[in-house]
């Protein structure tokens, strides 16, 4: 998408949020009462319940709720289809007791909601790394009209160190972000789930048996309209080839990068999410992706490969010094090759790793979904 096309799209989104949706909500709210048993699971980036909300959905069902699932990938929809989806959501929203989301979801922030309705932002990443929200123009353009994060009653974060940072980045009142842990991480503590993912992986990739699985899962630079990845543009394939006798390399691209780099992902991986691969991964390579925080639950080594580190630091910025993480750091393939040749990813101190985990993911203990639902009931 061109910059002009992106700006036009943002303008249309702004008008829908600030004019069309508030009118719908006001009309529907005038005709109904809030039903505290009505729970909505909503997302605009997937046609099914996102991984980040699966555990909350299961927990709600176990507690006797019947969540209304309103998840659609709006990138695949025409404008008439989009407007129909938005109209349906606003009608349910006007009477809902609770709404769970896990990413920016403009409809919930488009109006002045009823105080009886509670919006819970689960988000889809943990820890602290790259700047986000209103702290960077890449997430929310400076000229965007409207409050992207209005109406949040609770934002769940992975550790106490995240609370004030998230409240600032999302322009939320103090106390909105709570270190409940992330619902998405509960499955990583489930031995049966892990065993199932490992079995499925080796059925699909039998040639990986006997080797250490290395997963390269980079994020992207810029915004969703013009994503790029300097790590992919570097000659990382040469590293994979040199060390292929001992390691089985996989590349799992961020969804925004797949169209730009179609030759870099094994098509057999299409049925596996990044999360599905973590249980079998021996070494993770990433850049600025929060997948490293999910992965830290397994207490296994990771590598930071950041060819564009200086420009990324200057243009977007970080909340923390990523060079302080318990992992080798490389900005070019020569250093990355040295890391593999010398096996430097095994040099981390276990106590340092544990401190890193507690600092950024300390509230994630496999019981987050129950804790969140119980806390929501008391809002």
């Amino acid at each position: 998408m061109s910059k002009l096309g992106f700006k036009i799209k943002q303008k249309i989104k702004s008008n829908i949020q600030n004019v069309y949706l508030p009118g719908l909500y006001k009309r529907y709210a005038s005709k109904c009462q809030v039903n505290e048993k009505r729970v909505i699971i909503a997302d605009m980036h997937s046609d099914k319940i996102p991984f980040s909300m699966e555990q909350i959905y299961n927990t709600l069902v176990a507690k006797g709720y019947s969540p209304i699932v309103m998840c659609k990938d709006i990138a695949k929809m025409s404008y008439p289809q989009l407007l129909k989806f938005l109209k349906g959501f606003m009608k349910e929203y006007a009477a809902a007791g609770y709404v769970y989301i896990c990413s920016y979801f403009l409809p919930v922030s488009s109006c002045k909601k009823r105080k009886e309705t509670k919006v819970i932002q689960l988000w889809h990443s943990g820890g602290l790394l790259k700047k986000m929200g209103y702290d960077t123009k890449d997430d929310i353009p400076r000229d965007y009209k409207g409050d992207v994060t209005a109406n949040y009653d609770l934002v769940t974060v992975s550790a106490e160190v995240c609370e004030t940072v998230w409240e600032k980045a999302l322009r939320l009142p103090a106390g909105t972000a709570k270190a409940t842990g992330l619902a998405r991480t509960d499955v990583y503590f489930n031995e049966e789930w892990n065993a199932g993912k490992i079995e499925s992986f080796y059925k699909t990739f039998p040639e990986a048996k006997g080797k250490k699985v290395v997963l390269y899962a980079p994020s992207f630079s810029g915004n969703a309209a013009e994503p790029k990845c300097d790590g992919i543009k570097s000659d990382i394939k040469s590293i994979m080839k040199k060390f292929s006798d001992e390691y089985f390399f996989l590349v799992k691209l961020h969804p925004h990068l797949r169209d730009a780099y179609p030759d870099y992902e094994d098509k057999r991986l299409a049925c596996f999410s990044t999360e599905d691969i973590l249980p079998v991964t021996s070494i993770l390579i990433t850049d600025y992706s929060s997948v490293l925080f999910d992965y830290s639950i397994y207490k296994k080594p990771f590598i930071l490969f950041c060819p564009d580190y200086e420009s990324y630091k200057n243009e977007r910025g970080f909340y923390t010094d990523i060079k302080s993480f318990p992992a080798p750091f490389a900005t070019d393939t020569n250093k990355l090759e040295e890391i593999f040749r010398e096996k430097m990813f095994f040099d981390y101190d276990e106590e340092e790793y544990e401190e890193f985990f507690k600092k950024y993911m300390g509230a994630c203990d496999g019981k987050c979904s129950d804790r969140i639902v119980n806390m929501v009931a008391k809002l």
Side-chain angles (χ1 to χ4, degrees), residues 72-271:
K72 292 290 183 181
D73 184 352
I74 64 169
K76 301 176 182 178
M77 302 170 74
S78 66
Y79 270 107
Q81 290 172 326
L82 172 61
L83 293 177
K84 181 179 180 180
F85 169 70
L86 293 176
K87 185 177 180 180
F89 173 80
M90 297 307 285
K91 184 176 182 179
E92 295 292 347
Y93 184 27
Y98 305 99
V99 181
Y100 287 86
I101 57 177
C102 66
S103 187
Y104 298 122
F105 191 85
L106 297 182
V108 301
S109 303
S110 65
C111 56
K112 184 177 180 181
K113 72 171 177 66
R114 292 167 150 179
K115 64 180 181 179
E116 300 95 335
T117 299
K118 305 302 179 183
V119 174
I120 302 92
Q121 173 60 271
L122 300 172
W123 205 246
H124 51 270
S125 61
L128 289 177
L129 210 158
K130 60 190 175 187
K131 289 187 176 179
M132 57 160 288
Y134 285 101
D135 285 345
T136 171
K137 60 179 173 51
D138 287 331
D139 274 14
I140 303 172
R142 297 284 186 262
D143 59 351
Y144 189 82
K145 305 298 183 184
D147 187 347
V148 177
T149 59
N151 289 334
Y152 294 177
D153 294 284
L154 173 66
V155 178
T156 63
V157 295
S158 58
E160 287 185 8
V161 71
C162 305
E163 292 177 347
T164 56
V165 175
W166 281 72
E167 286 167 358
K168 176 181 176 295
L170 301 181
R171 295 181 180 174
L172 301 172
T176 305
K178 297 289 187 183
T180 59
L182 302 182
R184 62 178 280 119
T185 64
D186 284 353
V187 291
Y188 300 138
F189 294 86
N190 185 318
E191 292 184 7
E192 184 178 350
W193 183 86
N194 284 309
K197 296 303 179 183
I198 292 171
E199 181 180 2
S200 295
F201 177 84
Y202 283 116
K203 281 183 178 179
T204 305
F205 297 95
E207 69 272 32
K209 291 181 178 179
K211 296 183 179 182
K212 294 181 177 67
V213 176
V214 180
L215 173 63
Y216 178 43
S219 184
F220 66 94
S221 301
N223 58 46
E226 297 178 291
K228 61 180 181 178
C229 178
D230 282 12
I232 287 292
K233 290 192 291 184
S234 69
D235 191 21
I236 194 170
K237 278 190 173 181
S238 66
I239 306 294
M240 298 178 182
K241 186 175 181 180
K242 283 184 180 180
F243 296 95
S244 60
D245 288 344
E246 184 175 358
Y247 302 97
F248 184 77
F249 288 89
L250 291 169
V251 178
K252 190 65 176 176
L253 299 179
H254 189 284
H256 291 325
L257 293 172
R258 289 171 189 162
D259 289 340
Y261 307 100
D263 299 330
Y264 269 83
E265 192 167 336
D266 191 319
K267 289 183 171 50
R268 290 177 295 174
L269 275 178
C271 61

Side-chain angles (χ1 to χ4, degrees), residues 214-344:
V214 180
L215 173 63
Y216 178 43
S219 184
F220 66 94
S221 301
N223 58 46
E226 297 178 291
K228 61 180 181 178
C229 178
D230 282 12
I232 287 292
K233 290 192 291 184
S234 69
D235 191 21
I236 194 170
K237 278 190 173 181
S238 66
I239 306 294
M240 298 178 182
K241 186 175 181 180
K242 283 184 180 180
F243 296 95
S244 60
D245 288 344
E246 184 175 358
Y247 302 97
F248 184 77
F249 288 89
L250 291 169
V251 178
K252 190 65 176 176
L253 299 179
H254 189 284
H256 291 325
L257 293 172
R258 289 171 189 162
D259 289 340
Y261 307 100
D263 299 330
Y264 269 83
E265 192 167 336
D266 191 319
K267 289 183 171 50
R268 290 177 295 174
L269 275 178
C271 61
F272 292 89
S273 68
T274 302
E275 295 83 5
D276 291 336
I277 309 169
L278 297 186
V280 76
T281 300
S282 298
I283 302 154
L284 171 72
I285 306 174
T286 189
D287 45 18
Y288 321 113
S289 172
S290 65
V291 67
L292 72 89
F293 295 110
D294 279 31
Y295 185 66
S296 71
I297 290 173
Y298 293 97
K299 309 296 171 59
K300 293 188 288 188
F302 62 95
I303 300 167
L304 294 170
F305 180 48
C306 310
D308 62 341
Y309 172 73
E310 290 299 329
S311 60
Y312 198 94
K313 180 176 67 173
N314 294 330
E315 293 172 11
R316 181 159 188 151
F318 301 99
Y319 290 121
T320 187
D321 177 13
I322 65 173
K323 291 184 179 180
S324 70
F325 290 178
F329 183 88
T331 57
D332 57 58
T333 50
N334 289 332
K335 180 63 177 180
L336 187 60
E337 181 177 344
E338 179 188 359
I339 289 169
F340 274 94
R341 186 173 61 251
E342 303 297 329
K343 301 185 187 302
M344 296 167 64

